[in-house]
Amino acid sequence: MVFILALLAAIALIWCLSAITEKIRLGLSLSQALLYAPFKLFYRICDSRIQLARNAQAPLIYVVTHQSRIDPALMLSLLPDDTLHILDSVTAKSIWMEPWRELARTIAFNAEHVFVSRRLVRALKGKGRLAVYIPANVEPDLRSFRLYRAVIRIAIQANARIVPIFIGGAQTLPFQASGKAPATRHWFPRLKISVLEPMNAAELLARNGSPANRNAHALFDRVAEARLAATDEDQSLFQAVRNAAENFGPGRIALEDATGSKLSYRRLLTGARVLGRDIAGRTRPGESVGIMLPNANATVLALLGIASAGRVSALVNFTAGPANIEAAMNTAVVRIIVSSRSFVEKARLEEIVQALEAVGMEFLWLEDFRASATLREKLCAALLWRYPLIRQDAQKPAVILFTSGSEGLPKAAILSHRNLIANAMQAEARVTISTDDIALNVLPMFHSFGLTAGTLLPLFNGIRLFLYPSPLHYKLIAQLAGRIKPTVMFGTDTFLAQYGRAASDGDFSSLRFAVAGAEAVRDETRKLWRERFGTAIIEGYGLTEAAPVVAVNTAIHGREGTVGRLLPGMAMRIEKVDGVAEGGRLFLAGPNVMMGYMTAERPGELQPLEEGWHDTGDIITVDNEGFITITGRAARFAKIAGEMVPLGILEVLAQDLWPQERHAVISIPDSKRGERIILVTTASKANVESLRKAGKQAGIAPLAIPATIIKVEEIPALGSGKTDYRHTRQLALEELGSSKK
């Protein structure tokens, strides 16, 4: 009995001391501090940003993302006691919430009341504070989205500022506000309270450079930024996967590839540590190490092993040819390349290997590595799998990717650990995914879309990932999808169209959606997937320099013909272009935008971006809800008789006329009109007269219509499936040259 009393007294003392500490530290009332102290002790809450919410000048609306049942209790304990909290009906009636409800004024949530009430505006005017709890859906339905409209309307009428609040980690608590148990349950996760700076409606609209973004969408974007801010970007790729292992279970299967090999998080990180130690013994800290491997478990293992050793992965585009690959490796100053003899043999890459070895580059063959790894090294790695080999720095380079070079010579884009992790988390804050999903990635990792969206995003979020080595095996990929039943898939329009035609009716029926990027999605591809598989293709926009995702449609918030809306945390700047009447040239900034370039003229030297802004070279328009339409590239305009002609529109025109074929429109110098437009096409029936008629109906000036058509069996393409305009232009010039002889 004495022991029990002593124990209770010790608990009471700890409770009181903790409450006093929180009262002094945060300026809480004694009642608030006493009720907050248990949360602080149990959940080890990071609350350094809450003072921003407490000290902000009223009138204010706190917009809290409502994930778990404890969220209102936390906010009642932490927000100023003169705040009016609008609670849902369950929270307003729960018996256990009674002590917290006594801390401040509360009213029960009533949807109709919230949308029409003048009482809330009156409560805010002057020095009022209001806390509204928004459903936690990443993609809110139309009914939930009404709440965003209501909040922004009330803020405008009351001249109030808005403070978004998100409690990171609360999504894993067993008592969810939605009533649905989380896929991964933790009773006492570490919580992080994310609070953003207060902004009024006008500031929200002007924040990311969008010219006419609607109020509700601006608030929706701001709330998504609060979600993003709750994630830990200050970690390396190795640490991010390690954290996923701890969140979702070390024994959870993370990867599977076409060989049938399956890797749990623990086995993946163990193997990465063994390989990383071998690489560390051959290289210097910060040195670039090449990876020439297909989509397979070994590629991810090499990527994480190199990161663990504090080196930088230079991903080799093995479809680029010996000369381009040698130039790329010289630009990145690569001495050692990780590869596999069996892969080189199957992919017939012997010529590339010989060319690289001839200039002094060394290959680390995975077959040799497996044979040479000692039992001691394997045991040490198995014990220390959670820990990287050297101290990690999220701000340092993690990966070197080479731009597609569709219009010129490729450049080396340097992406930090933070760039890659931020981009994966930006996508996670916009598109609904869960641990119930199975992802199929056929896009090569040397392509930024295949690396970040197709590989890292699933790994960080506990999604089982299946890697397939080549996107060109159309029939085999369709059959594979029918067997493994993926729910999420990544591809380009070119590849998705081929898969859709090669598949049997049920092969892709398990997909919730397919994410398409790298090139515009054609209407016939959407129709094919919708009619055959009942699957929506959600289109996005990205570039290697942005790690790569910049904007994306979602299943609920989407608009065909656009590439979606800007990701949270990014800012855009649109500059006018001479001769372009609508829209302008897009500049981007954000946590996912690269550190800078390396070029062949200055190998190994990082050339940082000017003031953090990247010139995309893309010409865009933005509608009043923030949806972005790509109208062309600055390099994809031709100047004909003084008029700027977007070549992309002409490709769309040809695609509408001959939808089953591939088309590329290029321009070449012309002594009379400045430039000459040429259509390169696989359509054997293509003719100038049909183009002119269609152009007239579409309102395209006659001088813009290609007067020359070159028919080919195949349009040159990059490894990602995008049109290779540089080689298409060379092909056209050769064809025109031979026709003159």
Side-chain angles (χ1 to χ4, degrees):
M1 186 67 179
V2 173
F3 174 76
I4 294 174
L5 289 174
L7 181 62
L8 292 174
I11 292 172
L13 179 62
I14 293 171
W15 187 349
C16 290
L17 290 175
S18 179
I20 292 170
T21 301
E22 298 309 315
K23 173 178 168 58
I24 296 171
R25 186 173 67 90
L26 299 176
L28 307 176
S29 68
L30 182 59
S31 299
Q32 283 183 310
L34 285 169
L35 290 174
Y36 176 59
F39 288 129
K40 179 71 174 178
L41 292 170
F42 288 142
Y43 297 112
R44 308 174 308 286
I45 298 174
C46 175
D47 54 15
S48 58
R49 299 277 297 179
I50 199 64
Q51 288 287 37
L52 183 63
R54 290 184 57 83
N55 296 336
Q57 186 176 352
L60 281 176
I61 301 177
Y62 301 109
V63 179
V64 184
T65 302
H66 195 187
Q67 301 175 92
S68 76
R69 288 294 169 200
I70 74 166
D71 295 351
L74 268 175
M75 292 300 102
L76 282 159
S77 302
L78 288 169
L79 295 178
D81 54 15
D82 61 347
T83 303
L84 173 61
H85 294 254
I86 302 179
L87 305 178
D88 65 276
S89 57
V90 175
T91 304
K93 297 175 183 177
S94 296
I95 295 174
W96 75 271
M97 275 289 299
E98 187 61 32
W100 284 271
R101 284 197 297 265
E102 294 298 320
L103 296 175
R105 294 179 299 152
T106 64
I107 60 174
F109 176 82
N110 181 303
E112 296 304 320
H113 179 66
V114 168
F115 297 132
V116 301
S117 176
R118 293 191 180 95
R119 174 188 172 189
L120 298 178
V121 176
R122 289 197 300 270
L124 277 171
K125 282 186 174 178
K127 298 293 183 181
R129 298 171 186 266
L130 180 68
V132 178
Y133 296 83
I134 297 277
N137 301 335
V138 169
E139 300 180 58
D141 56 26
L142 294 177
R143 182 174 179 182
S144 298
F145 205 71
R146 292 171 63 200
L147 192 54
Y148 288 90
R149 295 192 182 97
V151 170
I152 200 76
R153 187 163 59 242
I154 291 168
I156 291 171
Q157 292 175 5
N159 194 28
R161 293 185 298 168
I162 295 173
V163 177
I165 299 175
F166 185 88
I167 304 171
Q171 66 271 25
T172 65
L173 288 166
F175 20 90
Q176 292 293 292
S178 63
K180 181 182 178 181
T184 304
R185 182 180 305 181
H186 296 286
W187 284 97
F188 299 107
R190 185 180 183 121
L191 302 182
K192 178 182 179 181
I193 300 176
S194 165
V195 181
L196 299 187
E197 290 76 9
M199 287 186 177
N200 59 32
E203 290 169 329
L204 286 175
L205 289 173
R207 181 176 46 89
N208 67 4
S210 177
N213 202 355
R214 283 187 181 174
N215 295 330
H217 282 88
L219 175 58
F220 171 63
D221 292 342
R222 187 65 170 163
V223 170
E225 286 184 20
R227 180 189 295 267
L228 178 65
T231 63
D232 184 8
E233 296 175 6
D234 191 22
Q235 55 186 333
S236 71
L237 298 182
F238 184 94
Q239 290 169 320
V241 175
R242 185 271 315 278
N243 291 342
E246 293 177 345
N247 288 334
F248 306 111
R252 182 181 179 87
I253 298 298
L255 288 173
E256 184 176 356
D257 63 18
T259 67
S261 172
K262 299 177 183 180
L263 288 180
S264 67
Y265 279 106
R266 182 190 289 109
R267 286 188 61 201
L268 172 63
L269 292 169
T270 300
R273 192 180 159 89
V274 176
L275 179 58
R277 183 167 293 281
D278 189 297
I279 290 170
R282 300 167 182 254
T283 56
R284 301 178 302 275
E287 185 175 341
S288 300
V289 178
I291 299 178
M292 192 172 79
L293 291 166
N295 272 15
N297 294 350
T299 312
V300 181
L301 189 147
L303 184 74
L304 296 179
I306 291 169
S308 172
R311 275 61 173 173
V312 184
S313 295
L315 293 163
V316 180
N317 179 355
F318 45 80
T319 68
N324 285 336
I325 293 174
E326 181 183 337
M329 295 298 97
N330 287 332
T331 298
V333 195
V334 171
R335 293 187 304 111
I336 292 178
I337 299 173
V338 179
S339 190
S340 160
R341 288 192 182 94
S342 63
F343 166 61
V344 168
E345 182 181 349
K346 289 176 183 177
R348 298 179 181 177
L349 302 177
E350 292 87 352
E351 183 182 354
I352 291 173
V353 173
Q354 291 169 6
L356 295 177
E357 287 182 331
V359 294
M361 294 184 197
E362 177 186 351
F363 277 80
L364 170 58
W365 301 109
L366 290 179
E367 291 87 350
D368 296 343
F369 157 72
R370 293 189 187 101
S372 63
T374 65
L375 180 61
R376 179 179 175 276
E377 289 173 335
K378 293 176 182 177
L379 287 174
C380 287
L383 291 171
L384 301 172
W385 64 270
R386 287 181 172 85
Y387 306 102
L389 290 165
I390 70 170
R391 186 180 181 85
Q392 306 282 280
D393 185 346
Q395 305 297 331
K396 288 189 175 180
V399 165
I400 298 175
L401 293 175
F402 300 91
T403 59
S404 63
S406 58
E407 293 155 15
L409 290 173
K411 290 184 284 189
I414 315 303
L415 296 166
S416 68
H417 296 271
R418 182 173 183 262
N419 291 151
L420 294 164
I421 292 169
N423 197 229
M425 295 301 100
Q426 285 171 314
E428 189 267 343
R430 184 55 59 81
V431 179
T432 302
I433 54 176
S434 76
T435 52
D436 295 330
D437 282 314
I438 299 173
L440 173 60
N441 180 28
V442 301
L443 295 177
M445 289 183 220
F446 59 71
H447 185 259
S448 54
F449 188 26
L451 174 65
T452 304
T455 305
L456 298 180
L457 176 64
L459 280 176
F460 296 162
N461 290 281
I463 298 170
R464 186 162 178 166
L465 174 62
F466 195 102
L467 296 168
Y468 191 79
S470 171
L472 301 176
H473 301 162
Y474 307 134
K475 187 68 176 178
L476 292 177
I477 288 169
Q479 292 172 351
L480 173 68
R483 178 170 63 83
I484 68 171
K485 305 296 182 187
T487 58
V488 180
M489 183 175 176
F490 306 91
T492 66
D493 176 79
T494 300
F495 295 144
L496 292 175
Q498 294 286 1
Y499 304 149
R501 286 193 282 268
S504 299
D505 287 344
D507 285 343
F508 293 108
S509 58
S510 61
L511 288 172
R512 292 197 297 117
F513 56 82
V515 184
E519 59 182 345
V521 178
R522 295 170 293 172
D523 289 339
E524 53 268 29
T525 307
R526 294 184 197 277
K527 182 179 178 182
L528 173 66
W529 278 69
R530 189 184 298 119
E531 292 180 352
R532 290 204 64 194
F533 316 118
T535 298
I537 296 177
I538 61 174
E539 186 174 358
Y541 160 62
L543 52 154
T544 304
E545 293 87 347
V549 189
V550 170
V552 68
N553 282 288
T554 69
I556 294 173
H557 296 273
R559 184 161 297 167
E560 288 190 8
T562 76
V563 294
R565 303 176 63 254
L566 201 67
L567 290 184
M570 296 199 73
M572 70 169 81
R573 190 177 83 226
I574 301 173
E575 294 189 356
K576 294 298 294 181
V577 176
D578 291 340
V580 177
E582 189 176 358
R585 189 173 185 132
L586 175 64
F587 289 75
L588 292 169
N592 55 313
V593 176
M594 68 172 181
M595 302 174 71
Y597 284 122
M598 285 180 188
T599 60
E601 295 76 22
R602 295 158 67 181
E605 180 183 339
L606 174 64
Q607 301 168 39
L609 296 175
E610 185 175 346
E611 298 181 354
W613 287 92
H614 172 64
D615 177 5
T616 68
D618 289 315
I619 309 299
I620 71 162
T621 60
V622 185
D623 69 14
N624 62 2
E625 292 183 0
F627 287 93
I628 298 170
T629 301
I630 309 294
T631 60
R633 283 190 58 78
R636 295 277 297 138
F637 276 75
K639 197 166 189 177
I640 310 295
E643 295 290 330
M644 295 295 286
V645 178
L647 303 182
I649 290 177
L650 301 177
E651 286 182 0
V652 172
L653 187 70
Q655 198 67 56
D656 289 341
L657 284 170
W658 305 287
Q660 301 303 319
E661 305 296 337
R662 295 278 294 170
H663 315 278
V665 177
I666 54 102
S667 64
I668 62 173
D670 185 272
S671 57
K672 294 181 179 179
R673 298 198 299 176
E675 288 185 84
R676 176 181 173 191
I677 299 176
I678 297 171
L679 170 64
V680 182
T681 179
T682 61
S684 59
K685 297 181 180 179
N687 62 86
V688 175
E689 187 59 33
S690 296
L691 279 172
R692 285 174 179 160
K693 288 181 180 178
K696 185 176 182 180
Q697 292 175 353
I700 299 174
L703 61 83
I705 301 300
T708 303
I709 296 177
I710 295 176
K711 298 174 183 179
V712 296
E713 292 186 4
E714 189 175 354
I715 300 286
L718 301 166
S720 63
K722 292 170 66 176
T723 299
D724 186 340
Y725 289 104
R726 186 161 61 92
H727 284 97
T728 301
R729 188 177 291 107
Q730 290 175 359
L731 184 153
L733 289 170
E734 290 170 4
E735 185 71 22
L736 290 171
S738 63
S739 66
K740 292 178 182 178
K741 295 178 181 179

